[in-house]
Amino acid sequence: MQTTANNATDPTGPTGRLAHWLAGFRLEDAPASARERAKALTLDGIACAVVGAQLPWSRTAAQIVQKFEGRGDRTIVGWGARTSAPGAALLNGTFIQGFELDDYHPLGPLHSASIVLPALWAASEGDIHVSGRQFLEAALAGYEVGPRVGMALHGAQMLSRGWHSGSVFGTHAAASAVGRLLGLDAARIEDALGLAGTQSAGLMAAQYEAMCKRMHHGFSARNGLYAAVLAEGGYTGIKRVFEREYGGFLSTFGEGHDPDASKITEALGERWEVERIVIKPYAAMGGIHSPLDALFDVDAKRKLVPEEIARIEVEVSHAVYHHGWWTPERPLTPIGAQMNIGYALAVAVLDGEAMVKQFAPARIDADDVWALIPRIEVRHQPEFDAGGPLKRGRVRLAVTFTDGQRIQVERNSSRAIESPQSSDEVAAKYRVLTDGLIDGARQKAIEDMVRSIEDLPDVREVLALLAEGVEPALLAPPVAAAFD
């Protein structure tokens, strides 16, 4: 096959087609709806970063990374400090994923903002000048690629097998975003994709008690950033990384599970994955959202009073069951609580919501929650595994009351998938999450800049506002006491 220095080694293969699309992508190629969703997703990621910046495990990470990486010239959100580009990407990704408030894609499950934004922020403070328009273009590229790679590995199947799916797919999202920002040609983007794939990892056992689950997407942001920068400098990566039979990305991570490389470029430039990315209304893993919605559906039929509940039965798909159910025991960490269907449903019955306050240590350890948890049964329902990836969010939830009444509801997916929030609703979430953590003028300035980011001359203007310190969020003991 004849190639030129600027082309991918096989422009017709899945890796080559993606590389050439990324090299030629321009913001105006995306419809207004995709551009608008990308801005909303970016604002939501910023809100999550502000909340996450001063959480206890975030502080531990920030202290260690700053000590190890030293001073640098790249922003650490909410710290009034700077470190190296890789260190900043790692920390800012850790902050965005710090409290399970961030986005997810239901078919290729990953948390896009926690991967794409930190990598782009670090790259935007380098030698190049980056306008808001260039930043949005690069972010859109990253938002498109991550879910597509995930779907090629059948998405939630990765969770069933024990991989933290987003940190596996995420390196490609970050590499694609930074590669687009740096203006790499198709040949160099192919190298970046290969360098990204060889750095993919993430074990889902981190969900039980480890701090490192919060950092997985930060690892991917850092590794994808490195992949693009190495490729820009001429360091070569694995060629045709998606189609290699031996040691390729899909053949290795998808071994025995029939990966489908065609998903990577299926309707590329026609169907916009950014529009299918879900913005969370609950501070819990995405698979718990349908059960929570089903619980509130029951509550709408009959007010849920803990003393009147004899039993709550929940049936979910294989991926959700294995990702979100084990018998919880005290002491339960915040990460364990946010992953556990039983805890999330119990606290939602008691408090009527499942947001930041419900996953604070004092609330997690409260006796009323643990009195209710034993009355919750979670089961795998095999019929929910059929019908394609979108059907795996199905749930059947029944509440049996002490007077004998039983109310059962079924949902095919969460409300956030069925009726995605508008940009105004996402902005309202941003304001709710950041109230009290940053002052009103700064809060408004960030929102205004992001919602009209195409007009921003230099993205460093946003980063300057993000760099300033933020107040500790709920989980710091002095703040948690305010919710007693």
Side-chain angles (χ1 to χ4, degrees):
M1 175 177 298
Q2 280 193 328
T3 61
T4 69
N6 297 327
N7 288 340
T9 53
D10 179 6
T12 64
T15 307
R17 287 184 63 195
L18 179 61
H20 279 269
W21 183 82
L22 286 166
F25 173 65
R26 298 295 180 269
L27 185 61
E28 56 269 22
D29 297 337
S33 57
R35 298 195 298 269
E36 185 64 23
R37 191 60 172 176
K39 290 189 288 186
L41 183 57
T42 299
L43 184 63
D44 189 65
I46 287 172
C48 296
V50 170
V51 172
Q54 294 291 341
L55 295 172
W57 42 87
S58 296
R59 292 176 185 169
T60 299
Q63 290 160 2
I64 295 167
V65 171
Q66 287 182 85
K67 181 178 180 180
F68 183 67
E69 291 281 349
R71 295 174 183 262
D73 58 357
R74 311 300 161 100
T75 293
I76 305 173
V77 173
W79 274 76
R82 292 172 175 267
T83 189
S84 69
L90 174 62
L91 288 176
N92 291 330
T94 301
F95 297 166
I96 296 175
Q97 243 278 283
F99 208 62
E100 288 299 318
L101 288 161
D102 55 331
D103 64 88
Y104 70 96
H105 191 287
L107 302 181
L110 80 165
H111 305 285
S112 295
S114 66
I115 296 163
V116 170
L117 295 181
L120 287 178
W121 288 338
S124 296
E125 292 185 301
D127 296 332
I128 60 173
H129 171 88
V130 178
S131 69
R133 181 181 178 82
Q134 290 171 304
F135 185 92
L136 184 62
E137 179 181 274
L140 249 173
Y143 293 154
E144 285 303 302
V145 170
R148 291 174 172 277
V149 178
M151 287 187 289
L153 286 169
H154 307 299
Q157 281 189 18
M158 294 292 283
L159 292 171
S160 294
R161 293 165 53 204
W163 290 104
H164 191 180
S165 55
S167 57
V168 174
F169 317 149
T171 54
H172 294 103
S176 297
V178 178
R180 177 61 255 155
L181 189 73
L182 298 177
L184 302 188
D185 61 30
R188 297 287 76 77
I189 289 176
E190 180 180 23
D191 284 324
L193 293 171
L195 288 160
T198 203
Q199 297 180 83
S200 294
L203 299 175
M204 205 57 251
Q207 73 179 25
Y208 299 114
E209 66 278 301
M211 288 181 180
C212 66
K213 192 272 179 187
R214 314 285 190 182
M215 192 174 272
H216 281 180
H217 283 61
F219 289 145
S220 288
R222 179 198 63 191
N223 295 349
L225 169 67
Y226 246 127
V229 171
L230 286 166
E232 181 192 33
Y235 199 82
T236 59
I238 299 168
K239 306 296 185 181
R240 303 183 299 283
V241 68
F242 294 126
E243 56 263 47
R244 289 281 192 183
E245 293 184 7
Y246 173 72
F249 180 80
L250 297 181
S251 62
T252 301
F253 281 105
E255 183 178 12
H257 293 266
D258 298 317
D260 184 357
S262 70
K263 296 295 184 183
I264 294 173
T265 56
E266 181 182 271
L268 185 61
E270 299 171 10
R271 184 188 69 236
W272 294 88
E273 295 304 327
V274 68
E275 297 190 56
R276 301 206 283 187
I277 293 174
V278 175
I279 298 195
K280 288 184 176 182
Y282 307 122
M285 75 97 164
I288 300 179
H289 287 212
S290 287
L292 282 166
D293 285 338
L295 182 78
F296 292 131
D297 289 343
V298 174
D299 184 69
K301 297 174 184 291
R302 172 175 171 171
K303 183 65 179 175
L304 294 173
V305 178
E307 295 76 14
E308 298 176 359
I309 294 173
R311 184 168 68 255
I312 299 174
E313 300 166 85
V314 191
E315 295 177 298
V316 293
S317 68
H318 183 274
V320 174
Y321 180 81
H322 285 278
H323 192 23
W325 178 247
W326 66 96
T327 302
E329 297 178 354
R330 286 169 121 168
L332 185 65
T333 62
I335 186 62
Q338 290 174 305
M339 297 290 115
N340 189 273
I341 297 169
Y343 174 83
L345 292 179
V347 78
V349 167
L350 291 158
D351 294 1
E353 60 180 342
M355 279 298 282
V356 178
K357 290 186 289 186
Q358 281 65 52
F359 298 96
R363 189 69 189 103
I364 293 170
D365 199 42
D367 290 340
D368 59 347
V369 178
W370 290 92
L372 185 54
I373 286 175
R375 285 176 264 165
I376 299 173
E377 303 173 20
V378 182
R379 298 189 292 268
H380 169 216
Q381 175 50 258
E383 72 179 75
F384 293 172
D385 300 332
L390 274 177
K391 295 296 185 182
R392 292 183 189 128
R394 292 174 64 188
V395 62
R396 182 181 295 131
L397 184 144
V399 179
T400 301
F401 296 89
T402 54
D403 62 8
Q405 184 182 17
R406 186 175 188 271
I407 300 177
Q408 177 176 295
V409 298
E410 292 191 34
R411 296 193 63 88
N412 286 323
S413 61
S414 70
R415 286 193 183 88
I417 293 175
E418 294 171 348
S419 302
Q421 299 99 316
S422 67
S423 292
D424 286 343
E425 289 171 326
V426 175
K429 175 188 171 185
Y430 158 82
R431 291 190 290 272
V432 167
L433 289 179
T434 57
D435 272 345
L437 303 184
I438 56 178
D439 66 65
R442 181 180 168 198
Q443 182 190 59
K444 184 177 187 304
I446 292 170
E447 179 183 340
D448 291 346
M449 284 184 187
V450 174
R451 297 190 73 175
S452 59
I453 198 168
E454 305 101 316
D455 303 323
L456 194 64
D458 192 329
V459 77
R460 287 181 176 89
E461 294 181 43
V462 175
L463 288 167
L465 292 173
L466 297 180
E468 299 174 27
V470 302
E471 291 298 315
L474 166 66
L475 299 191
V479 180
F483 292 95
D484 287 346

